[in-house]
Amino acid sequence: MGFLLFSLIQMQGYANIINDAGIIRGGTQRSAKLELNGEPNDELIAYLDELIRKLEATENKHLYISRDSAAYRDNLESVKTKWGEIKAEIPKLRGSPTAVLREHFLDLSEQHFDLANKTVYAAQYRAENELRNSIILSVVMILAVSLIMYTLERRSQQELERVFYTDPLTALPNQASFEINAADKLKATSPGSYLMVYLNLNNFKFVNDSYGYNAGDKLLLSFSSTLKRFCNSSEICAHLHADHFAILLKKREHVLEDLQTSILESIESERDLNLSDILTCSYGVYTIPDPDESIASCLSKASAALKEGRSSQRTVAYYDQHLLDKINNENKMTRWMRQGLSEKEFHIYLQSKVNLEQSKVTGAEVL
């Protein structure tokens, strides 16, 4: 914007130069005509002198002299020199205007006109070239600035996406990113070709409490690296929160067994912590039957399988019809209990709690 403003100001200056050069061209002819007619005009001569000095002063301010500017300056200098010759003849013309002197004066006037005419064209030519060059340079600068702005904006956008979609500790995708990318991978697959696995590190709180949060963070980083190495190009893993992870696995032979082996080796590799007897991993597995099913729903079902497996002391639990029937039965039981409460179908029995030393009832349990 600054360069464009400077170019506009410079173009305005060139317009003034062309205008002044044109005035000198016409003014000199008018002055010569008046002298030949015996009507001298010293004010006009002084005015032309001032214009020539003004043009010279303007040129002296330019720090950079282009080839076009040099040509214009040479023409301006020729005009100044010829104008000096004309002024030198004026006193003679006013004193004794002989025919030879008048003819010589007229010839000087014609020469000056030709030089002034060339000066005007040189000024115009310079202005046109400068304008063209300014336009070209302005376009280049606009394109360059636009490219820089686009690059900076793109980098800023990428940084925002990285912050928004990346877990700050493990650098794995977070749940928002996982849901988007996992949905993309499911679009072009057949039903049942992917497994959603929800993982949880058991006794992880013990690591934080016993060895400190730095050790816990180190363990999570090691666990994340293991999951990342295990995934191929068609799979994706994520750190959901705390010690909970998710992984979208392509269904293949022994994939879960291989995953368990890799994670076990990762835990055993932390020799300084000696966690192999303490830290274990539980897995909730959901076979995705419909590629259009939402990833949030798949995660929820894998999480439900994980909870069921932990409650029944199973390392790997599947979200299958058996689990679905159990969940439905529990939901029915909950509804029946609420209905039973509202219809007063529950009866309270008090089982006494006795202090044997004092041989008296000190409370009761409600059954």
Side-chain angles (χ1 to χ4, degrees), residues 202-245:
N202 302 317
N203 300 321
F204 179 72
K205 188 175 183 300
F206 171 82
V207 178
N208 283 335
D209 294 342
S210 301
Y211 298 95
Y213 286 100
N214 287 335
D217 291 345
K218 180 182 176 183
L219 180 62
L220 290 178
L221 286 170
S222 176
F223 191 82
S224 301
S225 298
T226 301
L227 294 183
K228 196 171 184 179
R229 286 194 302 270
F230 187 83
C231 291
N232 58 36
S233 59
S234 61
E235 300 170 339
I236 184 174
C237 59
H239 181 204
L240 303 181
H241 58 88
D243 56 348
H244 293 256
F245 294 80

Side-chain angles (χ1 to χ4, degrees), residues 193-364:
S193 59
Y194 269 99
L195 300 175
M196 179 65 72
V197 183
Y198 198 107
L199 304 91
N200 176 225
L201 286 170
N202 302 317
N203 300 321
F204 179 72
K205 188 175 183 300
F206 171 82
V207 178
N208 283 335
D209 294 342
S210 301
Y211 298 95
Y213 286 100
N214 287 335
D217 291 345
K218 180 182 176 183
L219 180 62
L220 290 178
L221 286 170
S222 176
F223 191 82
S224 301
S225 298
T226 301
L227 294 183
K228 196 171 184 179
R229 286 194 302 270
F230 187 83
C231 291
N232 58 36
S233 59
S234 61
E235 300 170 339
I236 184 174
C237 59
H239 181 204
L240 303 181
H241 58 88
D243 56 348
H244 293 256
F245 294 80
I247 181 170
L248 182 70
L249 290 178
K250 193 80 172 177
K251 194 174 182 181
R252 56 184 186 272
E253 189 176 6
H254 306 305
V255 63
L256 289 176
E257 290 83 353
D258 293 341
L259 177 61
Q260 288 178 275
T261 300
S262 296
I263 291 176
L264 181 60
E265 291 175 353
S266 174
I267 294 174
E268 291 177 346
S269 67
E270 301 296 331
R271 301 182 185 277
D272 53 338
L273 299 181
N274 192 23
L275 300 173
S276 57
D277 295 334
I278 301 171
L279 198 64
T280 59
C281 187
S282 297
Y283 306 82
V285 183
Y286 172 60
T287 302
I288 304 175
D290 182 7
D292 294 327
E293 185 175 358
S294 72
I295 301 302
S297 172
C298 297
L299 282 172
S300 178
K301 292 176 180 177
S303 176
L306 174 69
K307 293 176 182 177
E308 171 59 22
R310 294 183 66 178
S311 65
S312 58
Q313 303 299 314
R314 284 185 294 164
T315 302
V316 180
Y318 291 85
Y319 187 91
D320 51 17
Q321 189 60 43
H322 172 74
L323 176 59
L324 187 60
D325 291 342
K326 181 180 179 183
I327 293 174
N328 289 333
N329 288 334
E330 289 177 351
N331 290 335
K332 288 180 182 178
M333 184 71 71
T334 301
R335 291 197 299 271
W336 289 341
M337 289 176 67
R338 290 175 179 170
Q339 181 180 351
L341 285 171
S342 64
E343 297 180 1
K344 302 185 183 303
E345 295 178 354
F346 284 86
H347 299 276
I348 294 177
Y349 296 86
L350 300 179
Q351 178 171 295
S352 301
K353 295 175 66 176
V354 179
N355 187 319
L356 298 179
E357 293 179 353
Q358 300 177 1
S359 298
K360 68 177 183 179
V361 176
T362 58

